[in-house]
Amino acid sequence: MRPEALNPLFAEVTTLEGVGPKLMKPLEKLGLTRVKDVAYHLPERFVSRQAIADLDAGSEGEQVIIALTAIEHRTPRAGSRGPYRVLAQDAIGNVCALTWFGKAAYSAKKLVPVGEKRWIAGRLDRYGDMLQIVHPDHIEAESAANMGRLSEPVYRLSDGLTQPRIADFVRQSLTRLPALPEWIEPGQLERAGWPAWADALRLGHETTDAKALDRLAYDELLANSLALLLVKAEGRRRKGQALAGDGRLRAKLQLPFALTGAQARSIGEIAGDMAQEAPMLRLLQGDVGAGKTVVALNAMLIAVESGKQAALLAPTEILARQHFETLRKMLGPTGVEIALLTGRAKGRERESILMGLMDGSIQMLVGTHAIFQDTVNYRDLGLVVIDEQHRFGVAQRLALAAKGRRAPHTLAMTATPIPRSLTLAQYGEMDVSRLDELPPGRQAIDTRVVPQERMDEVVAGVERHLASGQQAYWVCPMVREIDGVPDLADIAAAEARYAALKERFGDAVVLVHGQLRPEVKDAAMERFASGAARLLVATTVIEVGVDVPSATLMVIEQAERFGLAQLHQLRGRVGRGAEKSTCLLLRGSALSETGRARLALMRETQDGFRIAEEDLALRGGGELLGTRQSGEAAFRIANLEQMQRLLPIAHGDARLLMERDGGLTSPRGEAARLLLYLFERDWGVQLLRGG
């Protein structure tokens, strides 16, 4: 049960003054559902605004405060996604557009009535021939002449929220911070010169104080490290089942290739773990195409040879079906009974699978979340394999263990190479096996960087490629175009590219992106996988798990807008068959130094582990580990630079607390319990005996 001291922070966000039903949805979009979430909603940046007398005194890209008078409201035509614009003029007659998109436009008429002067604060930009301020941060009727230069936090918003609103909610949340005991080791606190927890949180909203921000990041990393150590300790304590296998089924496998050294080493590590009574908790980390499936199959066969069942969990139905077909073919000579269970299985088909699992006649099962529903019971589950494991949190991984008579062994897999320095953060409770070499004979993918101006040549090349009977992918950074936003107007959108390519290639083209209904997305993917469609236009939704051997061309539009790890995953969708594959990285004309370095590295290497390390170095501390190319936002506060610098210290401190300082029963341990609940790593606390 959560400690009472934290109750004020876990109160619903509706307990803050000014939060009603209307604001609940935009707050939920930002993940701000409780007072704690608002208190930790740190500014994206701080801005200094210059008060200017007229538009001539301002510069494009500058944050300004200026008096403007509305002269005309321009509403978008019915049914269009265009912006709502208010034309306004300054004291000497220069005109500027105040621009709103989406629901935020509803308040424009009330905020800037025609003929009345308002003080506007925001970023001055240009769209076409006209200056504009998109989504002004402040609109005031009173004079702002006394404001001079104004420095203020800028928060991430969603439709319906404004900067003043969110700043007010933050102020209220900070008045509710309880007095909490210190959980950081005193020596570390003194060495780093960090403020107390509540002071650090207040400073985080007022300044860019590095010590305050480091303190908050360290708290998050310490909570995570401590929880993962508790998971690992619990795993060692629980009673599992030693599974050695006798090799009879593995000997029958007729693989058309020899195992790589990395595969053989990983299989040995897994077999060693499974032969112990303590349940295995191991991560198999492989590069794109490194052969994780064969390693997983060997582990599953060890379970079946030992008289147990094995289950493989995939995050999507498409991926589950691919795994099922691959494993079924490989298992042919062994006679092992394998089944597929997804949400689509109904009636007699589903009943038959459930009966087979209960009586043990089905020895292996592949599926989506459906395989761990309450109604699914196994005769004796010995091994769980979780593919693309970053889609599942630690708490979910723990829940899976409850399905066996005794705790089953767990093998998690990911095709997203992670820098060694960050493996500790995401998988600190697991032992790690790395597949760091590709199978012999796998052809290198011919990777070329092509300027966007040669688009006509690229489309003609795609036409020749499709005419030869092969298939291709075309990836765009966005789903649809957004007019009038300077940063977004030029980004290639999948829907527009699909429309243009469909005009040329007809029904041979299909479209897939994350905003489509699942059944529409699945149908398009199945058409492409079966060969009925020849060209798949998509967003990054296809970056993991799509396996179509006859697709040998990948076109990535505006490749400079993708992270290196994403580019590597997308390129890995081709090069899966016998034919030589090509990846075309289309680049825009405005290429930053970082963008240039990324594309040069993609041309130079196909080593995912090297790419992951270089990606980390190029991105530095500017991006979180989380829109996170892999999909699970485990850290809200700590950025990459802080994780590299502070995570080893936090991990050492957590170990010290558990091994020397009396665990969670000591005075500091009691404070650390509060920390675990504060960062909602309380599944770690619940693992403690009597916890």
Side-chain angles (χ1 to χ4, degrees):
M1 185 185 280
R2 187 190 307 126
E4 277 185 35
L6 296 178
N7 286 348
L9 292 174
F10 282 85
E12 295 293 316
V13 75
T14 47
T15 61
L16 297 175
E17 194 178 324
V19 180
K22 195 175 175 184
L23 286 180
M24 274 303 295
K25 269 196 175 168
L27 286 167
E28 277 174 12
K29 270 189 184 173
L30 294 171
L32 309 181
T33 58
R34 297 152 311 178
V35 171
K36 173 185 94 83
D37 304 323
V38 178
Y40 274 102
H41 188 62
L42 295 171
E44 288 191 310
R45 64 187 188 281
F46 288 82
V47 297
S48 292
R49 303 190 197 279
Q50 177 67 50
I52 56 175
D54 54 63
L55 291 164
D56 290 341
S59 305
E60 285 177 42
E62 187 181 11
Q63 295 286 346
V64 299
I65 303 165
I66 185 170
L68 297 172
T69 303
I71 54 175
E72 183 188 345
H73 283 245
R74 290 186 178 174
T75 55
R77 67 178 185 277
S80 84
R81 288 197 181 93
Y84 188 103
R85 288 193 173 94
V86 178
L87 301 188
Q89 63 183 17
D90 65 13
I92 59 173
N94 293 322
V95 176
C96 172
L98 306 177
T99 306
W100 285 268
F101 292 87
K103 293 174 185 171
Y106 298 154
S107 56
K109 274 186 185 172
K110 201 182 292 182
L111 289 170
V112 276
V114 171
E116 294 188 25
K117 184 163 77 172
R118 292 289 184 267
W119 287 91
I120 311 291
R123 176 180 152 131
L124 194 61
D125 281 304
R126 184 175 293 279
Y127 181 62
D129 296 330
M130 187 174 283
L131 287 169
Q132 72 169 0
I133 296 174
V134 177
H135 289 258
D137 294 324
H138 299 280
I139 299 175
E140 303 288 346
E142 299 299 315
S143 168
N146 63 340
M147 295 168 80
R149 288 187 71 83
L150 172 68
S151 179
E152 64 176 46
V154 177
Y155 295 98
R156 194 158 57 88
L157 300 175
S158 62
D159 270 358
L161 283 171
T162 61
Q163 290 295 339
R165 268 273 168 85
I166 205 88
D168 177 49
F169 298 152
V170 167
R171 274 192 296 275
Q172 290 184 57
S173 71
L174 293 177
T175 65
R176 301 192 185 186
L177 299 183
L180 299 178
E182 184 55 72
W183 43 71
I184 296 178
E185 197 268 323
Q188 172 59 29
L189 203 60
E190 193 178 332
R191 280 191 301 276
W194 289 336
W197 166 72
D199 293 338
L201 204 44
R202 291 188 189 97
L203 282 167
H205 290 280
E206 294 167 6
T207 67
T208 52
D209 186 293
K211 288 186 184 297
L213 295 174
D214 274 359
R215 156 76 208 234
L216 297 174
Y218 186 83
D219 287 345
E220 184 174 41
L221 296 171
L222 179 60
N224 198 67
S225 296
L226 193 52
L228 294 178
L229 283 178
L230 290 167
V231 171
K232 198 163 192 173
E234 166 67 6
R236 286 182 176 148
R237 187 180 68 80
R238 292 184 67 205
K239 200 106 166 123
Q241 41 198 344
L243 307 180
D246 56 14
R248 70 184 190 283
L249 297 175
R250 282 169 285 167
K252 291 180 182 176
L253 287 177
Q254 295 171 7
L255 301 177
F257 48 80
L259 294 176
T260 65
Q263 284 174 319
R265 183 184 68 238
S266 297
I267 290 168
E269 290 167 347
I270 291 163
D273 282 0
M274 291 179 71
Q276 307 301 313
E277 202 170 65
M280 172 176 72
L281 199 52
R282 182 170 286 275
L283 173 71
L284 179 63
Q285 196 187 358
D287 200 352
V288 175
K292 292 180 301 302
T293 309
V294 174
V295 176
L297 174 61
N298 273 269
M300 293 169 86
L301 286 172
I302 290 172
V304 176
E305 287 170 358
S306 305
K308 310 295 179 185
Q309 292 162 298
L312 188 152
L313 171 65
T316 65
E317 187 158 328
I318 293 167
L319 195 48
R321 286 181 184 280
Q322 284 181 185
H323 275 311
F324 173 69
E325 290 301 331
T326 304
L327 292 174
R328 191 170 59 83
K329 284 173 191 163
M330 287 181 175
L331 286 168
T334 68
V336 169
E337 191 66 33
I338 186 170
L340 173 70
L341 181 62
T342 69
R344 286 193 194 178
K346 302 280 187 254
R348 283 186 183 173
E349 180 195 359
R350 181 180 167 80
E351 271 179 44
S352 168
I353 294 169
L354 296 185
M355 287 299 294
L357 290 171
M358 283 181 72
D359 65 23
S361 57
I362 291 176
Q363 296 156 295
M364 286 187 190
L365 183 68
V366 178
T368 54
H369 287 83
I371 70 175
F372 288 104
Q373 289 170 344
D374 289 345
T375 52
V376 180
N377 294 299
Y378 298 79
R379 186 181 66 80
D380 199 352
L381 182 63
L383 172 70
V384 175
V385 180
I386 306 172
D387 192 28
E388 288 315 326
Q389 94 86 34
H390 57 262
R391 313 281 180 96
F392 309 99
V394 182
Q396 288 168 294
R397 299 203 291 264
L398 293 172
L400 304 187
K403 276 288 175 184
R405 287 183 188 172
R406 289 187 177 183
H409 296 284
T410 303
L411 176 66
M413 305 196 295
T414 177
T416 306
I418 301 161
R420 287 184 189 277
S421 56
L422 300 184
T423 302
L424 193 64
Q426 285 196 299
Y427 309 111
E429 87 282 22
M430 293 184 167
D431 296 308
V432 180
S433 293
R434 284 164 72 104
L435 294 179
D436 47 13
E437 57 183 296
L438 293 179
R442 191 175 166 100
Q443 294 188 53
I445 297 163
D446 181 14
T447 304
R448 305 176 205 171
V449 179
V450 182
Q452 196 88 8
E453 299 84 71
R454 292 174 59 190
M455 178 66 76
D456 290 347
E457 293 174 51
V458 171
V459 173
V462 170
E463 187 166 34
R464 290 193 299 275
H465 184 81
L466 300 183
S468 74
Q470 296 181 83
Q471 291 173 278
Y473 299 97
W474 190 301
V475 176
C476 299
M478 288 186 74
V479 173
R480 61 180 64 90
E481 292 168 335
I482 301 178
D483 296 325
V485 180
D487 292 342
L488 302 180
D490 298 328
I491 299 181
E495 288 181 343
R497 181 60 60 209
Y498 167 70
L501 292 170
K502 189 172 175 63
E503 207 169 289
R504 182 151 180 171
F505 302 123
D507 288 341
V509 190
V510 288
L511 172 69
V512 169
H513 59 70
Q515 293 177 23
L516 292 173
R517 293 196 317 277
E519 60 272 20
V520 175
K521 194 162 59 179
D522 286 353
M525 285 301 308
E526 279 175 19
R527 279 199 68 213
F528 185 68
S530 69
R534 314 299 298 167
L535 177 60
L536 176 65
V537 179
T539 56
T540 55
V541 72
I542 63 155
E543 73 179 276
V544 167
V546 177
D547 187 6
V548 181
S550 60
T552 53
L553 174 64
M554 167 65 73
V555 180
I556 304 175
E557 196 166 347
Q558 289 182 316
E560 73 275 12
R561 293 187 179 271
F562 294 92
L564 267 172
Q566 273 184 317
L567 289 173
H568 181 61
Q569 288 294 327
L570 289 167
R571 177 171 61 184
R573 297 311 99 212
V574 296
R576 293 171 167 263
E579 299 290 327
K580 187 163 179 57
S581 291
T582 303
C583 176
L584 300 181
L585 304 173
L586 299 190
R587 61 161 178 83
S589 51
L591 204 58
S592 68
E593 280 306 307
T594 302
R596 200 177 299 280
R598 279 178 179 160
L599 299 186
L601 187 69
M602 285 295 294
R603 215 171 43 208
E604 183 188 324
T605 184
Q606 289 177 37
D607 179 346
F609 289 98
R610 183 184 161 200
I611 285 172
E613 297 290 351
E614 295 279 354
D615 196 21
L616 181 62
L618 283 171
R619 286 187 293 154
E623 290 179 31
L624 293 179
L625 176 68
T627 355
R628 223 156 270 224
Q629 299 185 2
S630 61
E632 182 186 75
F635 297 96
R636 289 186 60 175
I637 300 158
N639 62 34
L640 288 170
E641 185 275 329
Q642 286 170 320
M643 288 174 72
Q644 281 190 294
R645 184 164 43 85
L646 299 175
L647 186 59
I649 305 168
H651 196 70
D653 191 11
R655 195 174 290 283
L656 192 72
L657 175 62
M658 294 301 295
E659 293 174 2
R660 191 199 74 182
D661 292 352
L664 297 198
T665 57
S666 66
R668 185 159 86 93
E670 288 295 335
R673 277 179 187 261
L674 289 169
L675 176 70
L676 288 167
Y677 277 103
L678 180 63
F679 282 98
E680 295 174 87
R681 303 299 202 273
D682 39 298
W683 37 263
V685 181
Q686 287 154 18
L687 288 174
L688 294 174
R689 294 178 213 183

